[in-house]
Amino acid sequence: MTFTVFGTGAVGAYYGGRLAEHGNTVHFLARSDYKSIKENGLKVSSPRGDFHLKDPLVFESADRVPPSDVLLISLKTTGNKGLKEKLMPLVHEKTALVILQNGLGMEDEFKDWFPKNPILGGMCFICSRRTKPGIIEHLDYGLITLGAMDSKDIPLRNQIGALMDESDIPVTLVDDLNEARWRKLLWNIPYNGLSVVLNSDTKTIMEDQHSRNIIRSLMFEVIEGASACGCSIEESAVEKMLDFTDNMTPYEPSMKLDFSSSRPMEIEYMYDRPLQAASARACTMKGVSLLRDQLYFIQKRMH
Amino acid sequence: MTFTVFGTGAVGAYYGGRLAEHGNTVHFLARSDYKSIKENGLKVSSPRGDFHLKDPLVFESADRVPPSDVLLISLKTTGNKGLKEKLMPLVHEKTALVILQNGLGMEDEFKDWFPKNPILGGMCFICSRRTKPGIIEHLDYGLITLGAMDSKDIPLRNQIGALMDESDIPVTLVDDLNEARWRKLLWNIPYNGLSVVLNSDTKTIMEDQHSRNIIRSLMFEVIEGASACGCSIEESAVEKMLDFTDNMTPYEPSMKLDFSSSRPMEIEYMYDRPLQAASARACTMKGVSLLRDQLYFIQKRMH
């Protein structure tokens, strides 16, 4: 089974790197980092063990990448507009697409573009960053929660999951991808947005009673939204997730990192899509909507 | 009819000054500005005409102020804690208290403190600022909407209103003070908080579709809160108020000015009290609550 990583950043380079380190054939597509990676390889520092791919299969153009069985989509959702055309040369008859992105509704879009291909989704729970071109610092965690859109692709999901597992990537397999996406949103929606609006990391947010209240009430809204969309999340998940975050190393969510680096934020797939999905089922998520509007206001002023 | 101004700042000095300018006896209580006012008087610049009170009746201590018929309470609500003791020397048997503050529930508190005295409320719609000790810059507007807590005080309300009117202070008399307070909150709740959280003036907020959405949806929540509290505000008031704000000179609401000057913000009376009043009648105002929590978070980090 061969792989192509589309989006050789903090997430894609780490996971693709691990797969390559363990003997899998992995093609990396890189744009700005192409030269560095071609010349110096891909270096990853990690609490699970550092590694250096000295001569990775890196490509500057999709046209030159050999066909592969699995396409790992690890660019940010802010790059999804017009993505279909860029992916065309990489998606062959049986290529499986594994969407390693945050948010909701990405898989449906990929399914529209490539209706005959297997579509899988992976929720990455990882702290990593690209410190320089070709240099990835993996700080903590690393779990991928993996599910298939269509139950006929469960054997494929298992096969990919097994290869990840053999490559020192912890994997949890799930049968209900939509529910897993909402469970991930239960954390992502409150913390990503609020960390930007309040310009704070998780620790600062958790230590203040008022921001903690906001987080809690947003989580309950997300549970309502999920429920409207047919995904039942138990209410006890809220206190569990608060406890969990209390015990995390102080952390800047990905949207906060994007904001601080003046990169566009993933508002559309992390906020608009869940809001639309819930709203289509008569659930408004008022607080989430207010936070979304604050984020768009802030984003407009970043540039 | 004699007056005492408690809180000789941008609002109190302006209105008290106008009353004095037109021949009324007005005592001003001042702390930090006492010396300046004693030495140089009170100077007001205003589109309605500048004036300079060369020798105003200014006092440093409440004990020295002669009894007066009307006590104008024009300090910020952030000073209301422990205020009863400070007011004791000023409140005589028949002294009327006119509460020129923003928020909800102040009158009830003053009524608890001074149950036998007439309590009136005044909603000031004014742009003014104290640029230096004893120097007030009146920029725009100036209307006071005046109402009495108890209908037996309506003649008194009319009498005070007439004196204001004769002193070039535009006055609107209202019979339902509670409703007038909620109508004022319809503007104050959305604009004050959002201008702080988004660090923006009214123009910037109104020009952006997303912040405009927030304002609109907060206004509808305030209407729900008001309605729960027995105050019916027509929904058309929302678009009217948006139009009105579109046409205002770009404006920093008072809470934004407090924030920018690192002064405490009037969160309690402008947010907590309305939230409590509505919540006691099973109306949650979720967006208002979220905004309130953001403000407390921000306030904690100001110091």
Side-chain angles (χ1 to χ4, degrees):
Chain A
M1 204 168 232
T2 55
F3 294 83
T4 294
V5 173
F6 191 96
T8 304
V11 171
Y14 176 73
Y15 287 121
R18 278 282 176 224
L19 288 163
E21 185 207 5
H22 287 80
N24 295 286
T25 298
V26 182
H27 313 116
F28 295 91
L29 244 174
R31 277 181 307 178
S32 55
D33 293 3
Y34 171 77
K35 268 195 180 169
S36 288
I37 297 175
K38 189 79 196 164
E39 280 167 25
N40 307 311
L42 191 65
K43 279 188 197 173
V44 176
S45 66
S46 165
R48 299 183 88 92
D50 302 348
F51 62 92
H52 181 188
L53 305 178
K54 285 183 185 148
D55 196 17
L57 303 171
V58 62
F59 301 84
E60 208 175 358
S61 158
D63 301 323
R64 311 206 164 183
V65 180
S68 52
D69 303 309
V70 180
L71 183 56
L72 299 176
I73 306 287
S74 49
L75 83 167
K76 299 229 174 208
T77 52
T78 47
N80 282 18
K81 213 170 185 179
L83 188 58
K84 183 188 174 183
E85 281 64 40
K86 294 179 193 163
L87 292 179
M88 296 280 269
L90 299 167
V91 180
H92 303 278
E93 204 190 322
K94 292 194 171 172
T95 308
L97 287 84
V98 180
I99 319 302
L100 302 178
Q101 298 186 311
N102 275 322
L104 194 75
M106 296 80 67
E107 286 89 5
D108 296 309
E109 228 161 52
F110 285 95
K111 193 78 205 164
D112 282 345
W113 296 343
F114 307 108
K116 290 178 183 169
N117 292 73
I119 311 281
L120 290 82
M123 276 68 43
C124 305
F125 180 61
I126 185 168
C127 298
S128 63
R129 55 184 180 185
R130 166 191 165 286
T131 50
K132 283 180 203 169
I135 314 263
I136 304 295
E137 189 179 6
H138 173 221
L139 296 161
D140 209 352
Y141 308 108
L143 178 74
I144 295 185
T145 303
L146 195 66
M149 271 192 98
D150 193 317
S151 57
K152 78 169 166 42
D153 295 320
I154 285 187
L156 179 64
R157 176 204 70 181
N158 296 347
Q159 206 183 345
I160 295 171
L163 283 175
M164 288 176 164
D165 190 60
E166 287 162 17
S167 304
D168 201 22
I169 299 168
V171 176
T172 297
L173 302 176
V174 289
D175 288 338
D176 189 335
L177 178 57
N178 201 36
E179 185 192 305
R181 284 274 173 220
W182 275 103
R183 284 186 182 272
K184 178 85 175 169
L185 289 171
L186 188 59
W187 196 93
N188 270 337
I189 285 181
Y191 286 101
N192 275 281
L194 206 59
S195 69
V196 171
V197 174
L198 300 182
N199 201 24
S200 297
D201 65 11
T202 51
K203 180 164 185 275
T204 314
I205 288 173
M206 295 308 281
E207 279 176 355
D208 181 282
Q209 208 47 55
H210 296 97
S211 44
R212 203 181 168 93
N213 276 350
I214 299 175
I215 293 286
R216 183 184 282 110
S217 94
L218 290 173
M219 283 185 177
F220 280 114
E221 278 191 20
V222 175
I223 288 183
E224 283 172 31
S227 165
C229 295
C231 301
S232 166
I233 302 178
E234 63 291 351
E235 294 212 337
S236 61
V238 170
E239 292 306 320
K240 259 190 210 161
M241 210 159 262
L242 292 173
D243 283 349
F244 175 79
T245 313
D246 279 330
N247 295 315
M248 271 172 76
T249 311
Y251 180 56
E252 302 220 310
S254 65
M255 189 172 279
K256 173 65 166 65
L257 297 175
D258 289 338
F259 169 68
S260 301
S261 307
S262 300
R263 289 189 297 260
M265 300 188 283
E266 301 190 277
I267 310 174
E268 184 179 349
Y269 291 85
M270 210 182 282
Y271 291 88
D272 288 330
R273 300 299 172 102
L275 279 163
Q276 287 157 6
S279 160
R281 288 145 185 109
C283 171
T284 49
M285 301 204 289
K286 271 181 143 181
V288 175
S289 172
L290 192 155
L291 186 59
R292 182 261 315 262
D293 284 332
Q294 290 182 331
L295 290 169
Y296 273 119
F297 179 93
I298 290 168
Q299 174 155 278
K300 204 166 167 185
R301 259 135 218 93
M302 279 163 60
H303 303 296
Chain B
M1 204 168 231
T2 56
F3 294 84
T4 293
V5 173
F6 191 96
T8 304
V11 171
Y14 176 74
Y15 287 121
R18 278 283 176 222
L19 288 162
E21 185 206 5
H22 287 81
N24 296 286
T25 298
V26 183
H27 312 116
F28 296 91
L29 245 173
R31 277 181 306 178
S32 55
D33 293 3
Y34 171 76
K35 269 196 179 169
S36 288
I37 298 175
K38 190 79 195 163
E39 280 166 25
N40 307 310
L42 192 64
K43 279 188 198 173
V44 176
S45 66
S46 165
R48 299 183 87 93
D50 301 349
F51 62 92
H52 181 188
L53 304 178
K54 286 185 183 146
D55 197 16
L57 304 171
V58 63
F59 300 85
E60 208 175 359
S61 157
D63 301 324
R64 311 206 163 183
V65 180
S68 52
D69 303 308
V70 180
L71 184 55
L72 299 177
I73 306 286
S74 49
L75 83 166
K76 299 231 173 208
T77 51
T78 47
N80 281 18
K81 211 169 186 180
L83 187 58
K84 183 187 174 183
E85 281 62 41
K86 293 178 192 162
L87 293 179
M88 296 279 269
L90 300 166
V91 180
H92 303 278
E93 204 189 323
K94 292 192 171 173
T95 308
L97 287 84
V98 180
I99 319 302
L100 302 178
Q101 297 186 312
N102 275 322
L104 194 75
M106 295 80 68
E107 286 89 3
D108 296 309
E109 228 162 54
F110 285 96
K111 192 80 207 164
D112 282 346
W113 296 341
F114 307 108
K116 290 178 184 168
N117 291 73
I119 310 281
L120 290 83
M123 276 68 41
C124 305
F125 180 60
I126 186 168
C127 299
S128 63
R129 54 184 182 184
R130 166 191 165 286
T131 50
K132 283 180 202 167
I135 314 263
I136 304 296
E137 189 180 6
H138 173 221
L139 298 161
D140 209 351
Y141 309 108
L143 178 73
I144 295 185
T145 303
L146 195 66
M149 270 192 98
D150 193 316
S151 57
K152 78 169 166 43
D153 295 319
I154 285 187
L156 179 64
R157 176 203 70 179
N158 296 347
Q159 207 182 344
I160 295 171
L163 284 175
M164 288 176 165
D165 191 59
E166 287 162 19
S167 304
D168 201 21
I169 299 168
V171 176
T172 298
L173 302 176
V174 288
D175 289 338
D176 189 336
L177 178 57
N178 201 37
E179 185 192 305
R181 284 273 173 222
W182 276 103
R183 283 186 183 272
K184 177 84 175 169
L185 289 170
L186 187 59
W187 196 92
N188 269 336
I189 285 181
Y191 287 101
N192 275 281
L194 206 59
S195 70
V196 171
V197 174
L198 300 182
N199 200 25
S200 296
D201 65 11
T202 51
K203 181 165 184 275
T204 314
I205 288 173
M206 295 309 280
E207 280 176 356
D208 182 283
Q209 208 46 55
H210 296 97
S211 43
R212 203 181 169 93
N213 276 349
I214 299 175
I215 294 286
R216 183 183 283 109
S217 92
L218 290 173
M219 283 185 177
F220 280 114
E221 278 191 20
V222 175
I223 288 183
E224 284 171 30
S227 166
C229 295
C231 302
S232 166
I233 302 178
E234 63 290 352
E235 294 211 337
S236 61
V238 170
E239 292 307 321
K240 260 189 210 161
M241 210 158 261
L242 292 173
D243 283 350
F244 175 79
T245 313
D246 279 329
N247 295 314
M248 271 172 76
T249 311
Y251 179 57
E252 301 220 312
S254 65
M255 189 172 280
K256 173 65 166 64
L257 296 174
D258 289 338
F259 168 69
S260 300
S261 306
S262 300
R263 291 189 296 261
M265 299 188 282
E266 301 190 276
I267 310 175
E268 184 180 349
Y269 291 85
M270 209 182 284
Y271 290 88
D272 288 330
R273 300 298 172 103
L275 279 163
Q276 287 157 6
S279 160
R281 288 144 185 110
C283 171
T284 49
M285 301 203 290
K286 271 181 140 180
V288 175
S289 172
L290 192 156
L291 186 59
R292 183 260 315 264
D293 285 331
Q294 289 182 331
L295 290 169
Y296 273 119
F297 178 94
I298 289 168
Q299 174 156 278
K300 205 167 168 186
R301 256 134 219 96
M302 279 163 59
H303 304 295

